Structures are given as C-alpha cells and as structure tokens.
Amino acid sequence: MSALREQGAAPTTPGGMIRARTDGADQLIAADEPLAGLQVRSGSAVPGAIAMPALLSLVRRVRRTGQPASRTILSVDEGYPVTAMAFVTPEGEGTAIELSQWHRGEEAAAELPVPEALLHHLAEAEILLDDAQRVIVADVRAADLAGLAAALETGRGRYWTDFVTIDRVSDLMTARQGPLHWRLLDDAPFAVEGSTRTWRARILPRGQGGFSLLAIPEAIEELPVSPAARAQKDEPEDAQPGWNRLLGRDLAPALRQPITRIIANAETIRTRLAGPLAEEYASYARDIADAGRHLMSLIEDLADLEAVEAPGFAPAPDHIDLADCARRAAGILSVRAQERGITLVTPHANARVPAIGEFRRVLQVLLNLVTNAIRYGPEGSTVTLETGEDARGTWIAVQDEGQGLDAEQAERVFEKFERLGRSGDGGTGLGLYISRHLARAMGGDLVVTSAAGEGARFELTLPADPAA
C-alpha cells in the first residue's frame, strides 16, 4: 500500500479507493498510487497539473460551482486505456478526489474518436448504467433536466429508457425486454418532460462493464430568421424553411439513425458477436463500418455548414480562456498524435488568455486545426499551440512542420469543399470553411500564414475579455 505523494499524508484507503487533493489553482497537491504514477509518466508531477483531462474538467466544475459531482473518466497511460469512476467534492479552496473502479487495459488503446471525446465536454448529464442499461447513478447539470434528475435519483435500478421519450419508440424498443442493443440506441434522439430542447443519447461502453450515457443537446436546431431577413426575401412571418434548410431540419436526423445501424451491424459482424466468421468477411465488415463513419462525418459537416450559413446564426458569447482551450484540444487528440509520433506543445499550465467566444465552437475550431496538423504533418514532427494578446485582441495559433502552402493554396484553403488536391484522407473539405465562419461569427477571424516547405500557421483571433 503506497502513501500519498505528500509528506504526512494518509495511505491509500482499503477497498481500492484512490484519494487525491487539489488546491485553488486546480493543481494536484496529493495523490495515491496509481494516480500519482500516471501523473509522472504523463510528464506532470505531484504537486502539478492534473494529467487526466476529464478529471481536470470535473475538478474545475466542482471548484467553480461548489457542488460535488461524479463521472466516469477515460484517459491513456503510456498508450494503454485507463478508466475510473471519479467523485469530487469541494474542500477548502480546492477539492477532494475519490477514484474507484480504476482499471488499466492490457492492450494498447485504439484511437479515441474525436466526436466521442468532445462529447464528454458537451454533455449536460451523464448517467452510469449497468450491463443491462439500468441506472446506477446520475450526474445532471442542466437546469431544464431537474425533473429528470429527481426521477433518476428515485428510480435507480430501472432502465434509462423509462425516464425519456425516444423518437420512433416502436422501432427502437420492446416493452417486454427493455432496451435493445446499446449500439442501436447510441445517438438516438429523445425528449425529456420539462425540457423544450431535443436531446441525443451517446452511449459509451465502460472498461469494466456497463455504460456511460451522455445526454447531449441536439447540435443542429432550427435557427430563427429575423423579421428583417424575411422581409428581404418577401417571406411571410410564418413561412416554413425552404429546401436549403432541408439537411439540418429533416434529412440529417433521418439519416443518422440508419447509418448508426449500419455501423452497429457491421461492428457486430466484425467482432464475431453473432458467431464464427472467416477473416476476409470480418475485413469486409470493417470496411463497411469505416465507410459508415465517413458518411456520418460528411453528414455532420454538411449540417454544420447549413447551420453557420443560416440567417440569424449567432454563437453564444461567454468568458473563456484560450490557453485552457488549447490544452483541452491537445488532450483530446493526444492519442492520435502519439500514433504518428507527433509531439503536441501547449501553453504552460499556468498560462491564461481571457477572451470572449462560445466555448464549444472555439474547441470545435481548434480540434479541426490540430487534427489537420496531425494528419498532414510528418511523423515525428511537432505541432505547437501558442496563445497571446495584441492590438487585434486575443489569439491562438496552431503551427505544424508539414509541407506548408504556397500563396495560391493559402488563398484557396478556406473555400468550400477545397481539398487542395488531396483524396482518400477522410476529409470533406468543409472544416476550414466552417471554422472561418465560426471565427467571424464570434467577432474574430481565422487566417493562415505559410510558405511552401515551411509548415503552416493557422491563427484564430477573438475579442479580448474586458472583464478579465
């Protein structure tokens, strides 16, 4: 039994509980093994910055709100997946952490898909489920889900689907047997009594069995059109959206479910859950699943495109920290970078660059920029995320060591569907176009400076936070 990495601290508690403490700056000042060991192997220390991004996010929320919270966290330790159940409570200026069900996988971690990693930051409720999808515990953060939180608290042990209304219930559910296979319910839209928003269920398997159910607000919603915009188009006030609103309003939700089923069935075949299968057929199933994911990515990009181009689109401004956003983006993509031997350099743990912007939109832009830098940079190179403030406002830059862009390519790179001659890399040619739209909608801009053979530097500027 190892002691906390702090002089005079108590040893690890019986029953496998791992305890730790943080200070008012969210620094880990004491930790039991194996958390302390993960800190050191990840390049941090005790005391030092928390090396598990999901745990850091939870600690920050508890310190900010003063309310205890719990969630399942996922991280990587020297290429191996690590899962644990974290319970964090306020303690003095910092927090007290209790980790249970700590599990380090025996096989190297596969790449964590960017959308699922990002969903942990966007979820407004997380429900821990057992193997049969029955409720164990819930962490609900949205005010309009207060009724759901109360129902889940008194209804532990029941199927999570008893507490929500899922679209096309007869197609997805059987009252006699409870929920269908989790893959068929993953990304299913649902409604909650007391909330006017549409929600989606993202179901993530846990390392030791059971699932984490993330409640995500519907990303593509119908956007209001101002009376002035309608007047310019000579549309009546009660006019319905035209064909150019088709994807986000009707087509994208309708396509998500069948594509999800295609992916789920292909994965069932590939993993031989239905029985023995020749290797070549398992390979075919893998190709089908990959093609389905690519199609889903295209749909999401097109839906985002429709949203940012819609009249009246406006991100929700908030007080954010660009240095924190940089560290989060790097943490989400760290596994992908490690697979290519690419080093991600981020601002110092104590660096702060206050700005005004919508957090999830800024993170969306950064994930696109860093993903591109990792995808097109040479193996063994470095991708640097820098932040700063000048007369233009605040800025965050992503610099790679790739082939760079000549003047003509730099002019075209932000155009819609522009791939610069690349093919077969899984991209849609919409990411940078959407990212620039988002940057300008938030009162900033996205530009590139590059020269052929010298790498590319993409810089996102945003208004400075006058209250900081």
Side-chain angles (χ1 to χ4, degrees):
M1 186 178 295
S2 58
L4 284 165
R5 294 289 184 90
E6 179 189 59
Q7 187 173 0
T12 307
T13 57
M17 186 69 71
I18 302 164
R19 296 186 182 276
R21 297 204 308 274
T22 64
D23 60 14
D26 300 324
Q27 295 282 301
L28 197 66
I29 58 174
D32 288 330
E33 292 288 357
L35 178 59
L38 185 148
Q39 282 280 110
V40 174
R41 290 188 293 274
S42 299
S44 187
V46 181
I50 299 175
M52 303 178 77
L55 181 59
L56 175 60
S57 175
L58 185 62
V59 164
R60 284 174 171 164
R61 178 158 58 85
V62 169
R63 184 179 56 80
R64 185 177 66 251
T65 64
Q67 298 296 319
S70 61
R71 64 173 289 185
T72 301
I73 58 175
L74 171 66
S75 188
V76 176
D77 184 5
E78 295 186 322
Y80 293 87
V82 173
T83 58
M85 186 65 189
F87 181 65
V88 181
T89 56
E91 183 179 89
E93 295 183 352
T95 67
I97 301 170
E98 291 184 348
L99 301 176
S100 60
Q101 303 176 48
W102 181 282
H103 178 72
R104 184 178 187 266
E106 297 180 356
E107 296 183 0
E111 176 183 323
L112 183 63
V114 172
E116 290 189 2
L118 180 58
L119 289 180
H120 274 290
H121 296 283
L122 303 182
E124 297 194 35
E126 181 169 357
I127 306 170
L128 193 63
L129 308 175
D130 64 15
D131 290 338
Q133 300 183 50
R134 292 179 294 237
V135 176
I136 299 175
V137 67
D139 175 21
V140 180
R141 302 182 279 279
D144 55 343
L145 296 182
L148 175 64
L152 290 170
E153 179 65 25
T154 59
R156 294 182 182 180
R158 293 169 56 190
Y159 297 117
W160 70 271
T161 47
D162 292 346
F163 303 95
V164 302
T165 302
I166 299 181
D167 286 0
R168 299 178 295 279
V169 174
S170 60
D171 187 34
L172 289 173
M173 305 291 297
T174 59
R176 180 168 49 86
Q177 297 178 345
L180 292 182
H181 192 282
W182 68 271
R183 289 190 183 276
L184 301 180
L185 291 173
D186 185 32
D187 204 38
F190 68 88
V192 176
E193 185 176 356
S195 174
T196 60
R197 292 189 285 176
T198 301
W199 299 84
R200 286 195 174 271
R202 294 310 308 266
I203 304 176
L204 310 179
R206 297 169 55 235
Q208 290 184 309
F211 306 93
S212 289
L213 169 66
L214 305 181
I216 310 294
E218 177 62 79
I220 306 301
E221 298 176 341
E222 183 172 343
L223 300 172
V225 179
S226 67
R230 290 198 185 279
Q232 290 177 359
K233 296 183 178 182
D234 296 324
E235 292 182 351
E237 190 68 27
D238 59 350
Q240 295 297 314
W243 68 268
N244 61 319
R245 299 296 309 285
L246 175 64
L247 182 62
R249 181 175 179 269
D250 298 315
L251 188 55
L255 287 175
R256 286 190 185 103
Q257 192 61 41
I259 294 175
T260 298
R261 290 190 173 205
I262 291 171
I263 297 171
N265 290 335
E267 285 292 342
T268 299
I269 296 171
R270 182 187 69 81
T271 55
R272 298 175 172 86
L273 292 177
L277 187 71
E279 181 60 36
E280 59 266 29
Y281 291 106
S283 179
Y284 298 155
R286 182 183 299 108
D287 292 341
I288 293 171
D290 289 344
R293 293 189 185 96
H294 176 69
L295 183 57
M296 185 69 81
S297 175
L298 176 60
I299 291 171
E300 298 296 348
D301 279 351
L302 290 173
D304 267 350
L305 174 66
E306 179 182 301
V308 301
E309 290 186 334
F313 171 75
D318 198 1
H319 302 279
I320 63 173
D321 177 7
L322 287 184
D324 175 62
C325 290
R327 292 188 288 266
R328 287 175 183 262
I332 291 171
L333 295 171
S334 61
V335 174
R336 180 176 296 187
Q338 289 172 9
E339 287 183 346
R340 303 201 68 240
I342 291 177
T343 301
L344 299 179
V345 178
T346 60
H348 189 271
N350 295 327
R352 291 186 69 254
V353 182
I356 298 296
E358 182 175 345
F359 170 75
R360 75 181 182 97
R361 294 299 191 181
V362 172
L363 194 56
Q364 178 181 347
V365 172
L366 288 179
L367 288 173
N368 180 62
L369 296 179
V370 178
T371 297
N372 285 345
I374 294 172
R375 178 182 294 162
Y376 303 122
E379 293 188 5
S381 62
T382 298
V383 173
T384 304
L385 287 78
E386 299 177 309
T387 55
E389 185 173 1
D390 54 30
R392 300 169 300 164
T394 59
W395 55 266
I396 181 168
V398 178
Q399 172 77 51
D400 64 48
E401 297 178 348
Q403 297 179 355
L405 307 171
D406 59 30
E408 188 267 339
Q409 289 175 322
E411 285 288 328
R412 293 165 41 206
V413 73
F414 292 106
E415 294 179 5
K416 192 185 302 185
F417 298 109
E418 180 54 64
R419 304 280 306 286
L420 297 181
R422 296 187 300 266
S423 62
D425 59 6
T428 63
L430 289 171
L432 290 175
Y433 176 84
I434 292 170
S435 294
R436 174 174 271 187
H437 264 263
L438 291 174
R440 291 177 173 176
M442 290 186 287
D445 203 355
L446 179 62
V447 299
V448 60
T449 55
S450 180
E454 298 181 3
R457 177 185 174 90
F458 287 86
E459 187 173 281
L460 168 67
T461 57
L462 289 173
D465 187 352

